[in-house]
Structure formats: structure tokens, C-alpha cells
Amino acid sequence: MTGLENVDPSLVLHRLVMICLAAFVYIYIISFIIGQERRNKWFHKRKNYTFFNKKGFLGEYLNYGYPCTIPGFIVTFIMYGGIFGVGYWYLFKVPY
């Protein structure tokens, strides 16, 4: 593992932005593959919305809620495991 103290901060920032954009696309693809019916069965969303936690169209589409079934927990584990695993690998293991 290379020390990030020897790397230009703009390169690290570039990689962090790329990781965030890739995570956004990854979540969107998983959401598209699962479909609305299974998401409604596997996840529960918040029922009461206030001014501070309202979301737009894209935010509502990507909002899974919290898992309430075994498949929901599996999908959540796969999503977060993939995002953090690939993000860690790209940030720390791939040479700059």
C-alpha cells in the first residue's frame, strides 16, 4: 500500500470523485435490475416526509429505504460491499 502523503492531493480528489460517480451509476444499475416490485417487497421507505427530507425524482428512484427481508439484506450487502471494495482497491491499491 502506497502512502497517500506522497501523492498529489488533486490525484486523490480525482479518484474520490470517480469513486462517487461510479457508486451512483452502480446503485442506479442495481435499482434498474431489481425493479420496482421487488424493491417494494424487500425494502421499506419512510412514510412521513417533511420539507427537510423530501427528495426529487432521481433521489426518490435511488432511495431504497431500509431492508426488511433476507433478499433486501443480501442486495444491501452486495451494493455496499461492491462500492467499498472497489473504492478501497481503486484508491489505495491501483498505482498512481
Side-chain angles (χ1 to χ4, degrees):
M1 184 162 125
T2 62
L4 290 180
E5 63 273 356
N6 300 330
V7 179
D8 183 23
S10 65
L11 293 176
V12 175
L13 179 64
H14 179 264
R15 287 201 178 185
L16 285 173
V17 169
M18 293 301 293
I19 291 168
C20 290
L21 290 175
F24 183 76
V25 170
Y26 180 65
I27 291 171
Y28 181 79
I29 290 170
I30 295 291
S31 180
F32 183 75
I33 290 171
I34 290 175
Q36 190 67 33
E37 288 181 17
R38 285 187 271 180
R39 275 183 35 205
N40 290 339
K41 283 193 276 186
W42 297 347
F43 298 93
H44 282 183
K45 291 184 181 182
R46 177 186 302 234
K47 301 284 188 227
N48 300 330
Y49 286 102
T50 65
F51 174 75
F52 295 108
N53 61 7
K54 283 189 178 183
K55 296 173 178 45
F57 166 72
L58 194 56
E60 190 60 38
Y61 184 73
L62 297 176
N63 179 17
Y64 283 82
Y66 58 91
C68 60
T69 62
I70 298 297
F73 282 104
I74 292 171
V75 168
T76 302
F77 179 74
I78 289 171
M79 275 196 315
Y80 290 133
I83 290 169
F84 291 126
V86 170
Y88 179 84
W89 170 78
Y90 185 59
L91 190 60
F92 293 112
K93 298 296 184 181
V94 175
Y96 281 89

